[in-house]
Amino acid sequence: AIAYDQPLLRGAGNMVATSQFRIAQVDADISKADFLNQLQTQIEAAANAYWALVSARGEYFVQRRTPEPGREIIQIIENRVGLDTGPQPLIRARANLANREKELIRAKYALLTAQERFLQIVFGSNYSITFDVEVVTTAVPVRPFLLPSIDEELNVALKNRPEIKRELASIQRASIEQGVAENQLLPALDLAFAISNRGLRGNQALASAYNDQFNFGDPTYSFGLNYAIPYGNRAAKAGMRESNL
């Protein structure tokens, strides 16, 4: 027997028939956009951590040179105490050296913190604080360049930002679901067609019974319309309200 049903109202049309396939395609686009967003976020974090490390290394090497002149000044003053100077300049020079050494310690701590942050982003779960390495930065900031206009930035963002692509795909998905929900509000009206044939044999003669279907007897045809509408149609209405949220 062969039976065929063709929806004429509810479930009819290419839009409903291909809705699940199109939703799956949109979901794939959303997943791709989420992955690109995570990737861009990771790359941005690594870039920011690198330039923070460049800045921290520059500050450290500047601060590392500042205590030495202070020590030389203290030595000069110590040699002149009792000749043409008193203890007050020596006290001030030592205090100044202590401040410079304090800033050097702070700069070194900031450097180690920036380096650890950069290594954590690069190595992820494979990073260990026992890493005995020094990250030597080679790239330096480029000279200032002309910023693009707002319109150019918007055009680039619309074409490339994964968050925007994701939202557009979400809108497309919601549109498909709403179209299907609107279709489900219609009553069911199906065109039904069926054809069948029979072959009967005793003693479990299956092969002979199968051949009799085509050699003896006439096929049976049926044709008609099936109409149904749920009382209140609450499920379809609830789906429509949900798709409008």
Side-chain angles (χ1 to χ4, degrees):
I2 299 175
Y4 175 77
D5 292 337
Q6 174 59 51
L8 300 179
L9 291 177
R10 181 190 298 174
N14 182 69
M15 184 271 294
V16 178
T18 62
S19 61
Q20 294 302 316
F21 174 73
R22 289 185 291 133
I23 287 176
Q25 287 182 319
V26 172
D27 288 342
D29 293 337
I30 292 175
S31 298
K32 181 180 179 180
D34 289 340
F35 171 75
L36 290 176
N37 185 35
Q38 294 177 1
L39 181 61
Q40 288 186 7
T41 301
Q42 188 71 8
I43 293 175
E44 181 183 5
N48 291 337
Y50 175 82
W51 292 116
L53 179 58
V54 171
S55 176
R57 283 181 62 86
E59 178 66 19
Y60 171 72
F61 284 112
V62 169
Q63 295 295 336
R64 195 171 66 173
R65 293 194 296 266
T66 58
E68 189 59 32
R71 296 189 185 98
E72 294 177 356
I73 293 175
I74 289 176
Q75 186 175 4
I76 294 173
I77 296 176
E78 286 177 342
N79 294 332
R80 302 184 64 87
V81 171
L83 297 177
D84 55 359
T85 185
Q88 289 79 10
L90 181 60
I91 295 174
R92 289 195 297 267
R94 288 174 176 172
N96 186 33
L97 176 61
N99 288 331
R100 293 183 181 184
E101 291 176 342
K102 178 185 66 176
E103 294 300 324
L104 175 60
I105 294 173
R106 289 181 176 176
K108 185 176 182 179
Y109 175 77
L111 171 60
L112 295 176
T113 302
Q115 177 175 285
E116 182 177 354
R117 172 60 178 162
F118 177 72
L119 293 175
Q120 286 176 342
I121 294 175
V122 172
F123 290 97
S125 59
N126 295 324
Y127 172 75
S128 173
I129 59 175
T130 59
F131 281 9
D132 187 14
V133 297
E134 179 184 1
V135 179
V136 179
T137 57
T138 56
V140 295
V142 297
R143 62 182 181 179
F145 57 92
L146 296 177
L147 295 176
S149 64
I150 298 298
D151 293 337
E152 291 175 341
E153 290 183 346
L154 289 176
N155 290 332
V156 172
L158 290 174
K159 293 179 181 179
N160 299 286
R161 291 298 298 178
E163 304 96 325
I164 296 179
K165 291 182 179 181
R166 188 191 196 286
E167 293 304 319
L168 292 176
S170 298
I171 294 174
Q172 183 180 0
R173 191 185 199 283
S175 176
I176 296 173
E177 292 177 341
Q178 187 174 31
V180 174
E182 290 176 351
N183 179 268
Q184 294 303 304
L185 293 174
L186 300 174
L189 179 62
D190 299 340
L191 176 65
F193 174 77
I195 180 173
S196 62
N197 208 343
R198 295 180 180 180
L200 300 176
R201 284 293 182 99
N203 299 323
Q204 299 182 353
L206 299 179
S208 299
Y210 178 80
N211 291 329
D212 287 349
Q213 292 184 96
F214 306 98
N215 298 325
F216 300 96
D218 296 324
T220 300
Y221 302 93
S222 63
F223 175 83
L225 294 172
N226 297 323
Y227 178 82
I229 181 171
Y231 178 75
N233 207 13
R234 291 187 293 270
K237 293 178 180 179
M240 184 63 190
R241 287 194 296 269
E242 182 179 358
S243 67
N244 289 330
L245 295 177

